[in-house]
Amino acid sequence: MKPAPFDLVRPREIAAAVALLAAAGDGAKVMAGGQSFGPMLNLRLATPSLVVDISGIAALKTAREEPDAVVYGALVTHADVEDGRVPDAGAHLLKRVASGIAYRAVRNRGTMGGSLCHADPAADWVNALSALGAQVEIAGPSGRRWLALQEFLTGALSVALGEGDLLVAVRVPKVPASARFGYVKHCRKVGEFAHAVGALLVDPAAGTARALMGAIDAPPLVLADARDLFGGRIDADFAARFDAAAAAAALHEAGVIDPVDRHVHVEVLRRAVRQADGLFSPDTRSAA
Amino acid sequence: MNAPIRVSGAARTLALTLNGRAVAAEVEPRTNLADFVRDTLDATGTHIGCEHGVCGACTVLVDGEPARACLSFAAACAGAQVTTIEGLDDDAVTAELRAAFNREHALQCGFCTPGMLVSSRDLVLRLAEPDEARIRLGLAGNLCRCTGYAGIVKAVASVIADRRARGIAAGTAPRPLGPVGARAGAGAEAAASLKTPEAVRATPAPPARAADFTPAHSFAQSFDLAFPKARVFALFADIREVAACLPGAVVDEMPDLEHVVGGMKVKLGPISTTFRGTARVTRNADTFSGVILGAGGDGRSATQGEICYRVLDGAMPGTARVELTVGYTLKGPLAQFGRPGLVREVAGRLIADFAAHLDARLKGAPAPAATDGGLNPLRLLLSLLAQRLKALFGR
């Protein structure tokens, strides 16, 4: 349970980290808060020759508001979101998700960027930020680029980062005041990775809905236009028309072949729909 | 540029503050904070349980906030303020908690208690009310196998109630963004000074017997090719050709037509290893089917697996459908990470790549350039490991 020996370097600048990663190639791994990577090192599942610890890069510990979005630096921690040290993309919205991630001692070091790069299909940021249509900014040897989170997540534990690439920021569109967000996950024990995640971003005033079913052993299934789950339209009574069969069919098409798995995922989405319909309150926090 | 700080595999001096006292000591990069304070600084009040972030026994305060000492490498906490249970002797909240733990019988063997007190102290500071559900949620990351938690929850609730009654409000202290304990890094290091990472060391595994093999897990996959059945089946006869379509696969030797000695580089997220082993390949030309039965290991974990394939006529004339049934058993450290669903997902992606490479091969294209990922059931087995981390933390 002790990691295999590795070298560690703590750059201060993004450019230095990119240069180190590009030069070191396959044997180098990035570590942010280390709350997912640490266990893999301790269990010797990962045996890199060089760990590039980016936790000392101040430029990644930022957050800024744009007119229609909030941009979080990669090193913003779950606790930073939970405690409101950074602006929320919606009223208490990310705060509620953050407070349900793992345990407080993990949230104090675990980061939003690290979680997205680890890309566990069951992780909270992977799912919640996909549901909200987030983008990620990547710094690499040839400059910076933005990528939709859905394009960034290429598979289970797999992301679109090339050699020398570093995720530096996450841009989350602001949720309009008329919209509501339901986010429910199913865990057998508090703090563990979810067995199923359901999310719904619905705006009855605009007649739009975006649904997500996650923790399906693959990147989350995102229905960018989820009106078909609600009889083809979104209005004030959308929740009453939730079409479980349509959700199950979408899961089946996405490769969820086990009927019990489908049932659990559809039920969790149904609860997210109910939450978006009104059970949500700022106090609905998942964990202390 | 400032002088680079690079903690190499060899120990370097690390300075931080432990319980209010400046300390400096040699530390290896791989040493976690818990081992550093216990073994190097002789502060053994911090306990180590699971070493992967689940049990909470090692929870300490880093810059005043709870953090897992087993998941915080000491070298990444240079300059941080670390407080262990030894440093909380004179802390007012902890003093109240100690009395409450005593009163409510909130400990028995004491193993979880240092971490439990650190997490409880955090709850006392942050929770506005002594709400039992919130306290239980807040303590979910600290496992106790003696008490059943009832006494611990009562103790924490009583301290919260008492402090709120005395007019002490809940709240979080201001702090900078980012992981607690992470100070500014050092100046840029000239990338050129980095040594090239060593090649993955191939650990030869003793050839394992595959007799009486019953796979623990199995799944089926299929893909289509725009070539006639006979041509596809003929290609499968050439093991080296097939291996060339599997990124990461290496055929070292073929002692005879039925046996292969080789390896497979496996890569999944941060996991990278090489399995070495042997396989026996049999074919049945009458049924256009075959079986590859293999066994291997990476020095620590061992796997045994079989791939049954069958080439059928495709939906269109002149096309073929390949059906694969993959069965495997994994033993050793990797075995605890099994998540069959994840294996299927990775298998789907890999087999799609494999099919594309086969297609190119059949069209006469040269062998595909080796890509980063391995592709092969052996690699799939590896993806199992990703799983267990799931139960841990993640996020």
Side-chain angles (χ1 to χ4, degrees):
Chain A
M1 292 299 290
K2 307 297 180 193
F6 54 80
D7 286 1
L8 183 112
V9 63
R10 302 193 71 235
R12 184 187 296 168
E13 312 284 349
I14 293 169
V18 168
L20 283 160
L21 289 168
D26 208 26
K29 291 293 170 205
V30 176
M31 180 170 73
Q35 302 301 290
S36 292
F37 189 42
M40 294 189 120
L41 287 169
N42 286 358
L43 297 165
R44 297 201 180 193
L45 294 176
T47 53
S49 54
L50 175 69
V51 171
V52 179
D53 172 14
I54 60 166
S55 70
I57 301 178
L60 301 177
K61 303 176 187 179
T62 57
R64 67 172 192 273
E65 268 194 272
E66 294 179 349
D68 57 352
V70 182
V71 180
Y72 302 95
L75 287 179
V76 166
T77 63
H78 317 324
D80 288 335
V81 178
E82 177 184 19
D83 296 348
R85 277 185 293 279
V86 293
D88 204 320
H92 296 280
L93 193 152
L94 293 188
K95 188 170 175 167
R96 188 162 54 99
V97 174
S99 69
I101 299 174
Y103 317 108
R104 179 73 179 181
V106 169
R107 299 197 289 272
N108 281 328
R109 278 184 62 78
T111 67
M112 189 184 277
S115 174
L116 292 180
C117 291
H118 188 63
D120 190 297
D124 284 289
W125 289 136
V126 164
N127 287 292
L129 299 180
S130 292
L132 295 171
Q135 298 168 299
V136 295
E137 185 182 22
I138 297 163
S142 53
R144 300 220 180 179
R145 63 185 192 274
W146 284 94
L147 210 55
L149 184 52
Q150 277 177 273
E151 293 166 45
F152 178 72
L153 302 168
T154 55
L157 299 187
S158 180
V159 294
L161 285 177
E163 247 173 42
D165 280 349
L166 185 69
L167 187 154
V168 293
V170 185
R171 181 179 184 276
V172 185
K174 281 187 189 165
V175 175
S178 57
R180 286 177 288 183
F181 186 59
Y183 181 83
V184 174
K185 62 174 173 173
H186 168 59
C187 300
R188 280 182 293 216
K189 176 190 179 298
V190 172
E192 72 168 359
F193 271 103
H195 298 280
V197 176
L200 181 73
L201 178 64
V202 61
D203 191 340
T208 59
R210 187 178 164 93
L212 172 143
M213 287 178 278
I216 56 172
D217 297 322
L221 171 61
V222 178
L223 303 174
D225 179 355
R227 283 178 299 180
D228 283 350
L229 297 183
F230 304 96
R233 66 185 195 281
I234 298 296
D235 53 27
D237 300 323
F238 72 93
R241 292 195 307 276
F242 177 66
D243 184 348
L251 280 171
H252 198 276
E253 201 174 318
V256 182
I257 49 173
D258 184 79
V260 176
D261 280 350
R262 278 202 303 275
H263 176 81
V264 172
H265 281 89
V266 170
E267 175 57 25
V268 169
L269 177 61
R270 183 207 304 279
R271 292 178 191 185
V273 169
R274 220 159 52 203
Q275 196 182 69
D277 187 37
L279 292 184
F280 168 76
S281 78
D283 288 333
T284 315
R285 295 174 65 181
S286 311
Chain B
M1 293 286 190
N2 296 319
I5 283 199
R6 176 189 180 85
V7 186
S8 77
R12 295 292 162 85
T13 299
L14 167 75
L16 50 72
T17 303
L18 177 69
N19 299 330
R21 194 166 48 93
V23 295
E26 299 270 289
V27 67
E28 275 188 81
R30 64 170 170 160
T31 302
N32 68 42
L33 196 53
D35 283 331
F36 182 65
V37 299
R38 285 176 55 84
D39 296 348
T40 307
L41 304 178
D42 290 334
T44 55
T46 299
H47 292 167
I48 299 176
C50 71
E51 296 194 285
H52 58 230
V54 173
C55 79
C58 70
T59 308
V60 299
L61 296 178
V62 177
D63 291 348
E65 303 290 340
R68 297 289 202 236
C70 73
L71 297 186
S72 305
F73 290 101
C77 297
Q81 302 271 345
V82 177
T83 307
T84 62
I85 192 68
E86 291 94 336
L88 293 171
D89 281 358
D90 301 322
D91 176 72
V93 178
T94 311
E96 292 172 38
L97 279 168
R98 271 198 305 270
F101 267 52
N102 192 338
R103 187 175 65 244
E104 304 290 350
H105 303 289
L107 71 155
Q108 186 175 318
C109 83
F111 191 85
C112 73
T113 311
M116 199 64 85
L117 282 169
V118 171
S119 291
S120 298
R121 178 183 181 278
D122 176 59
L123 287 177
V124 167
L125 292 174
R126 288 191 305 116
L127 287 190
E129 292 164 10
D131 178 90
E132 185 187 330
R134 289 281 176 83
I135 292 169
R136 285 184 177 274
L137 285 173
L139 292 175
N142 290 76
L143 302 184
C144 170
R145 299 293 82 163
C146 300
T147 65
Y149 301 99
I152 299 172
V153 173
K154 271 191 205 167
V156 174
S158 70
V159 174
I160 294 176
D162 188 51
R163 287 175 73 85
R164 301 299 169 260
R166 279 151 51 204
I168 305 171
T172 50
R175 65 196 231 210
L177 297 181
V180 295
R183 298 291 185 275
E189 178 169 53
S193 74
L194 282 174
K195 65 182 179 210
T196 308
E198 288 172 36
V200 176
R201 187 161 40 96
T203 312
R209 295 275 314 255
D212 301 329
F213 173 61
T214 307
H217 303 280
S218 64
F219 58 88
Q221 294 270 343
S222 64
F223 58 89
D224 297 304
L225 292 168
F227 290 91
K229 177 165 87 168
R231 249 191 98 187
V232 173
F233 187 65
L235 178 71
F236 280 10
D238 189 333
I239 296 302
R240 289 181 193 273
E241 285 281 308
V242 172
C245 294
L246 298 177
V250 182
V251 174
D252 292 333
E253 56 174 319
M254 293 187 63
D256 56 55
L257 279 178
E258 283 203 348
H259 289 88
V260 186
V261 179
M264 170 62 61
K265 184 177 177 190
V266 178
K267 192 163 160 27
L268 179 75
I271 302 162
S272 181
T273 188
T274 299
F275 275 79
R276 314 289 300 179
T278 59
R280 179 161 172 262
V281 184
T282 53
R283 289 163 60 80
N284 184 334
D286 294 336
T287 56
F288 290 89
S289 63
V291 178
I292 302 166
L293 191 57
D298 68 349
R300 293 187 304 132
S301 296
T303 182
Q304 216 173 334
E306 69 177 3
I307 306 167
C308 302
Y309 67 87
R310 189 182 177 93
V311 187
L312 307 167
D313 283 318
M316 305 288 288
T319 66
R321 160 156 283 227
V322 180
E323 290 184 350
L324 302 173
T325 309
V326 180
Y328 62 89
T329 296
L330 191 58
K331 291 176 179 163
L334 303 188
Q336 54 188 311
F337 295 90
R339 181 164 61 167
L342 196 62
V343 177
R344 275 200 302 276
E345 194 270 345
V346 177
R349 279 189 282 144
L350 295 177
I351 289 171
D353 284 352
F354 180 50
H357 290 160
L358 277 179
D359 187 61
R361 201 73 167 168
L362 287 162
K363 284 175 178 149
T371 56
D372 202 20
L375 153 113
N376 163 306
L378 282 178
R379 166 182 166 167
L380 308 186
L381 304 182
L382 250 260
S383 68
L384 297 173
L385 10 140
Q387 156 51 1
R388 171 62 171 189
L389 303 171
K390 168 155 206 123
L392 314 191
F393 9 39
R395 317 114 202 359

